Amino acid sequence: MEREVMFYSNLSTISYTIGIIIFGVTLSIRSNTKCQKHVIVFSTLQITFHFCTMDGIGLFSTFLEAHQPQLEASGVPRLFWEVLFKKLRYHTFDSGLVFQLMRIDYEDTERGPRDPVWKLFVSYEKGISAQDPNNIYLIDHAWIYDTNNARQNLLVTPGLLDRMCSLMGFDTEADENEKIEFVLNEMWRYNQTFSLNSGSIEDRMPIWYIMDEVGSAINHSNEPNFRTVPFLYLPERITYTLLFPIKNVDYEEEVTRDFIEGHTNDPKVRQALLLPWVEILFLGEDFVQVEPGEDYFVANHVQESLPEYIDEQLHPRDRNTKLKVFSEYSYINEYLTDPAFEIVNEESSADVLWYVSHFTDYKELSQRRPHVFVNQFPFECVLTIKDLLPIVGRRRAGDKLYDPDTLKTYPEWLPTTYNLNTELVKFVAYFEQRESMGLDNHWICKPCHLARGLDMHITKNLFHILRLPSTEPKIAQKYITDPVLYQRPENGKVKFDVRYVVLLRSVKHLKLFAYKNFFLRFANKEFALNNFDVYEQHFTVMNYLEDNPLCHVKCADFILEWEKQYPNFSWKDQIEPKILHMFKEVFEAAVAMEAPKGIDKNPQSRAMYAIDLMLEWRKDTVEPVLLEVNFSPDCKRACEYYPNFYNDIFRCLFLDDNNPEVFHDLCRAGN
């Protein structure tokens, strides 16, 4: 992201571009230090400063014009603003005049994993007054990075690894790999975060940072005497942390802050979030999940109107007339060539509306154009949003909620999943219960509203997991530690996932079909339960990343190779029937309840979804595991592999052509 800033003075006009380039990442103003995200968005791309080089008041006014929204959003008291401006302008780092950094000597006792290495004390004999405007201090950042590049940063940035080890209390003389693993594990007790406020989805991923030795020595207190907030100083394109008192602090008193300020008012959630620094056990807490009420399903989601009743008999269709299709998706416009359909450019003349963005006004469509189809169902988000899908899936669990020996939750095809924002205490209780039983505790954490492997984390570090909800809503899902692997000649045994295209034609009387040609995605590196920050080892989505080779295998070739690699597990007779049955159960659960807790019936709706799954070893059997259900999937590869793809899809959805050579009828007896 770039924004041009013009400085006008009585001498000359100076222009430069705002942005901070650190380890190849352009940063802007957005911080997630509190529960509410601080987002500063300028209304135009050009900000004009009336910059009088001879007038300090004019300079301060210019500073406020650019930074006041940021200061207000961060809750920096107004009395500090002018002094902050002067310290920024003259690069005044004067914390050393009033604070003393001290390393804690534990003598003969061993320092625990939560015990601090350093502490910060007030060394100014008169103490620090919260009413003195001079008492705001600049804290530098020792390391700014995104998690995908953290290991590489530690390897190639001179002095960074040893600085982090010293800051975190680890032997700088240890083996390099040992030091790197320590820092990557321990850094979650020190990390702070902010995000970009514009640009591509990739640009808006969270950026993590660790404050310098002074800032990192500030420890937690439930009754803090200071606050810290991140701050982007635009003229010099530098981020700092601002440190200022919120009460009077005496000489030799420790400097503290609230590490989870603003995140929650729930005392149990607060205890859970503080686990990286304050030990408390959750083994006695209940980890069994309960389906939330309707309010949860509509909160933080796009509001939809429900269709009015339509008597389909009043709107008969002439089977001899072409259906006019308006599509926002270029591959439909290119590959839909069946003579029963005609591509049109105007929505108003279309019989079929195919959108790539979410459609919400079903009521108006049913009133004004009751004869028109749309490619979505009301409240299909119960399947396509990551935090709602497991809630729906658990409806198939029946009375058996989990296995007491393995703690595996039901149904079998659904990974154990917790919402880290609404079920955090239950998740911690479940995590600790698994730990106490010696069970594997690797988890994959996913943002609720992103795809393509973005901002996903795989870890068994509870502290790591607990820091992630501060960026955006996430789920924690039990990681598949024993996946069925695929032997690639040059790569070894790699992870893979399977994508099926599933068509929903009716909810009232469930009509569900699966396209027989499925699609494969492969990891590029041999699988092992290590190196979780190596994307090509643990993830399969390669088509959005530069320089990552994409392995192309059509399903017919895959089945032939599968039968060679796993001759005791017939794809047609053993594996695929389980997969198709899983699909049916997923949609039965989704239509079992009315909106907003389920997909609502609508005779105008037809929909196509892409369902991703993996295969997992369970003792001596292979079982499918549901990963996600995707709205408006990318079908470029489907069109290139099978040029009649959209002809078949549209004939099934809109002409009721259930070609058994092309589709599995999932509601047919026996499935």
Side-chain angles (χ1 to χ4, degrees):
M1 184 205 71
E2 294 187 341
R3 299 193 184 280
E4 178 130 335
V5 179
M6 305 295 295
F7 291 85
Y8 293 95
S9 76
N10 59 343
L11 298 177
S12 62
T13 300
I14 310 166
S15 69
Y16 64 83
T17 300
I18 290 178
I20 304 173
I21 311 299
I22 302 178
F23 297 124
V25 179
T26 304
L27 311 179
S28 71
I29 313 169
R30 177 170 176 172
S31 74
N32 302 330
T33 55
K34 299 179 69 175
C35 183
Q36 63 272 29
K37 295 182 180 179
H38 303 315
V39 182
I40 310 299
V41 182
F42 297 121
S43 59
T44 64
L45 290 181
Q46 180 167 298
I47 309 164
T48 301
F49 293 82
H50 302 288
F51 206 145
C52 176
T53 58
M54 308 297 288
D55 184 353
I57 297 176
L59 291 174
F60 180 54
S61 297
T62 299
F63 170 80
L64 290 183
E65 185 178 344
H67 300 93
Q68 184 168 338
Q70 194 181 166
L71 293 168
E72 289 176 340
S74 298
V76 179
R78 187 175 294 268
L79 84 149
F80 294 128
W81 291 2
E82 187 168 359
V83 172
L84 171 63
F85 159 66
K86 293 176 181 177
K87 290 188 177 184
L88 288 164
R89 184 185 178 196
Y90 295 109
H91 304 96
T92 304
F93 293 87
D94 56 347
S95 62
L97 301 177
V98 294
F99 301 117
Q100 177 67 48
L101 187 65
M102 297 183 65
R103 181 158 186 158
I104 308 304
D105 185 359
Y106 288 90
E107 297 180 345
D108 297 330
T109 61
E110 184 177 352
R111 182 175 66 86
R114 292 177 174 85
D115 292 333
V117 179
W118 303 87
K119 288 188 176 184
L120 192 68
F121 294 91
V122 173
S123 59
Y124 185 53
E125 292 185 356
K126 295 182 179 180
I128 292 181
S129 169
Q131 289 72 45
D132 186 339
N134 294 295
N135 287 331
I136 186 166
Y137 303 94
L138 301 180
I139 303 296
D140 216 342
H141 295 163
W143 186 19
I144 301 179
Y145 61 96
D146 67 89
T147 53
N148 291 334
N149 297 315
R151 183 183 298 272
Q152 186 68 10
N153 291 171
L154 294 170
L155 282 168
V156 304
T157 306
L160 177 62
L161 178 57
D162 283 348
R163 185 180 184 185
M164 290 297 105
C165 287
S166 178
L167 186 149
M168 299 175 187
F170 194 71
D171 182 8
T172 57
E173 300 299 321
D175 174 75
E176 181 180 65
N177 289 332
E178 189 178 354
K179 290 192 292 185
I180 289 175
E181 293 305 320
F182 173 84
V183 171
L184 292 176
N185 187 69
E186 182 71 3
M187 66 187 187
W188 296 100
R189 297 182 65 247
Y190 293 84
N191 276 341
Q192 314 297 315
T193 184
F194 56 84
S195 303
L196 307 184
N197 66 6
S198 64
S200 67
I201 293 176
E202 288 82 359
D203 291 335
R204 297 196 298 271
M205 291 301 97
I207 300 297
W208 297 89
Y209 66 96
I210 292 178
M211 291 184 284
D212 68 10
E213 286 74 7
V214 172
S216 294
I218 301 171
N219 290 295
H220 168 76
S221 173
N222 290 327
E223 298 180 358
N225 47 28
F226 277 80
R227 284 190 66 220
T228 61
V229 299
F231 182 80
L232 173 60
Y233 184 44
L234 298 177
E236 296 184 355
R237 302 168 289 176
I238 296 176
T239 54
Y240 298 103
T241 289
L242 307 181
L243 172 66
F244 55 90
I246 56 177
K247 61 176 69 172
N248 296 335
V249 187
D250 293 333
Y251 172 57
E252 294 187 338
E253 187 176 347
E254 184 182 358
V255 175
T256 59
R257 64 183 182 92
D258 184 352
F259 282 3
I260 57 167
E261 174 190 88
H263 278 79
T264 180
N265 293 320
D266 185 304
K268 276 292 182 184
V269 175
R270 182 175 173 83
Q271 287 179 330
L273 289 171
L274 282 172
L275 276 173
W277 309 282
V278 181
E279 185 172 11
I280 186 172
L281 290 178
F282 283 78
L283 279 174
E285 296 289 335
D286 179 22
F287 57 76
V288 175
Q289 295 157 293
V290 178
E291 180 161 326
E294 289 187 1
D295 289 347
Y296 180 85
F297 285 82
V298 297
N300 302 317
H301 302 303
V302 177
Q303 300 302 304
E304 303 180 18
S305 65
L306 293 176
E308 293 190 346
Y309 172 75
I310 298 175
D311 187 345
E312 296 179 76
Q313 302 303 316
L314 297 179
H315 305 282
R317 300 179 184 278
D318 184 353
R319 294 284 179 172
N320 297 317
T321 303
K322 287 186 176 184
L323 284 176
K324 296 179 179 180
V325 178
F326 171 82
S327 170
E328 294 180 336
Y329 191 47
S330 62
Y331 285 95
I332 290 177
N333 298 333
E334 180 180 353
Y335 282 91
L336 182 58
T337 58
D338 191 290
F341 302 93
E342 176 186 351
I343 301 294
V344 296
N345 296 322
E346 298 295 331
E347 293 181 62
S348 59
S349 63
D351 302 301
V352 176
L353 299 172
W354 194 282
Y355 297 116
V356 296
S357 56
H358 289 286
F359 181 79
T360 59
D361 203 346
Y362 295 93
K363 182 177 181 179
E364 182 185 24
L365 187 68
S366 66
Q367 292 172 337
R368 297 181 59 187
R369 306 180 68 188
H371 64 285
V372 171
F373 290 118
V374 66
N375 69 318
Q376 298 166 48
F377 275 83
F379 290 92
E380 65 183 16
C381 62
V382 299
L383 290 183
T384 60
I385 296 179
K386 290 185 180 68
D387 62 317
L388 299 183
L389 176 59
I391 296 172
V392 170
R394 285 194 290 268
R395 294 171 187 166
R396 300 296 302 185
D399 297 330
K400 193 175 182 182
L401 300 179
Y402 65 92
D403 185 314
D405 296 323
T406 65
L407 297 187
K408 172 70 181 76
T409 54
Y410 294 99
E412 290 278 3
W413 45 259
L414 182 68
T416 300
T417 307
Y418 285 87
N419 185 314
L420 292 178
N421 292 77
T422 62
E423 299 175 315
L424 186 69
V425 172
K426 288 183 179 293
F427 167 73
V428 173
Y430 184 80
F431 186 100
E432 292 189 354
Q433 185 65 39
R434 292 188 66 90
E435 196 170 61
S436 71
M437 296 171 63
L439 300 173
D440 178 83
N441 240 343
H442 286 90
W443 295 79
I444 181 169
C445 300
K446 307 175 181 180
C448 295
H449 304 288
L450 295 177
R452 294 164 31 191
L454 295 172
D455 196 23
M456 292 190 183
H457 301 248
I458 303 169
T459 183
K460 62 178 180 179
N461 180 355
L462 179 61
F463 298 168
H464 181 166
I465 297 172
L466 291 173
R467 300 304 309 282
L468 297 177
S470 65
T471 58
E472 66 173 283
K474 285 187 171 64
I475 59 170
Q477 199 165 74
K478 186 66 187 65
Y479 190 55
I480 299 173
T481 56
D482 195 10
V484 178
L485 303 176
Y486 182 84
Q487 179 74 47
R488 291 179 60 182
E490 297 83 16
N491 306 73
K493 291 185 175 182
V494 302
K495 284 180 63 173
F496 70 96
D497 65 25
V498 187
R499 167 168 287 194
Y500 276 81
V501 173
V502 174
L503 307 182
L504 179 61
R505 205 161 71 198
S506 173
V507 165
K508 185 176 180 180
H509 304 290
L510 187 62
K511 295 180 181 179
L512 192 66
F513 304 89
Y515 187 61
K516 284 190 173 182
N517 292 321
F518 55 87
F519 304 90
L520 291 309
R521 298 183 299 192
F522 301 89
N524 285 337
K525 294 188 176 181
E526 191 165 31
F527 177 78
L529 210 57
N530 57 22
N531 302 327
F532 297 107
D533 55 337
V534 178
Y535 185 91
E536 291 184 89
Q537 180 174 319
H538 291 277
F539 293 91
T540 60
V541 181
M542 302 295 165
N543 45 318
Y544 299 102
L545 300 176
E546 295 181 3
D547 303 324
N548 284 349
L550 185 63
C551 178
H552 293 275
V553 178
K554 289 187 176 181
C555 62
D557 297 327
F558 170 83
I559 293 173
L560 292 174
E561 187 61 31
W562 171 273
E563 302 295 342
K564 295 177 184 178
Q565 295 187 21
Y566 299 103
N568 296 325
F569 298 92
S570 167
W571 185 268
K572 181 180 178 180
D573 297 331
Q574 294 175 264
I575 306 302
E576 189 167 62
K578 291 182 180 180
I579 293 172
L580 300 180
H581 183 69
M582 176 181 73
F583 293 162
K584 182 181 178 183
E585 288 199 335
V586 170
F587 279 87
E588 286 175 340
V591 303
M593 294 189 177
E594 294 184 349
K597 300 182 75 172
I599 301 177
D600 205 47
K601 59 184 178 295
N602 181 22
Q604 292 181 271
S605 292
R606 304 288 188 272
M608 177 180 78
Y609 309 97
I611 303 184
D612 296 332
L613 63 104
M614 288 182 62
L615 300 174
E616 180 182 28
W617 290 108
R618 302 263 179 83
K619 296 182 179 179
D620 296 324
T621 65
V622 175
E623 299 294 337
V625 179
L626 179 67
L627 299 182
E628 58 187 44
V629 179
N630 297 277
F631 158 78
S632 186
D634 179 0
C635 292
K636 176 178 182 289
R637 184 167 47 149
C639 293
E640 292 172 347
Y641 284 4
Y642 313 108
N644 277 321
F645 174 75
Y646 272 119
N647 292 332
D648 294 329
I649 295 297
F650 271 65
R651 291 192 67 85
C652 182
L653 285 177
F654 304 110
L655 300 180
D656 298 345
D657 183 357
N658 312 331
N659 185 347
E661 298 296 318
V662 180
F663 296 100
H664 298 285
D665 184 344
L666 299 183
C667 297
R668 183 170 51 84
N671 282 337

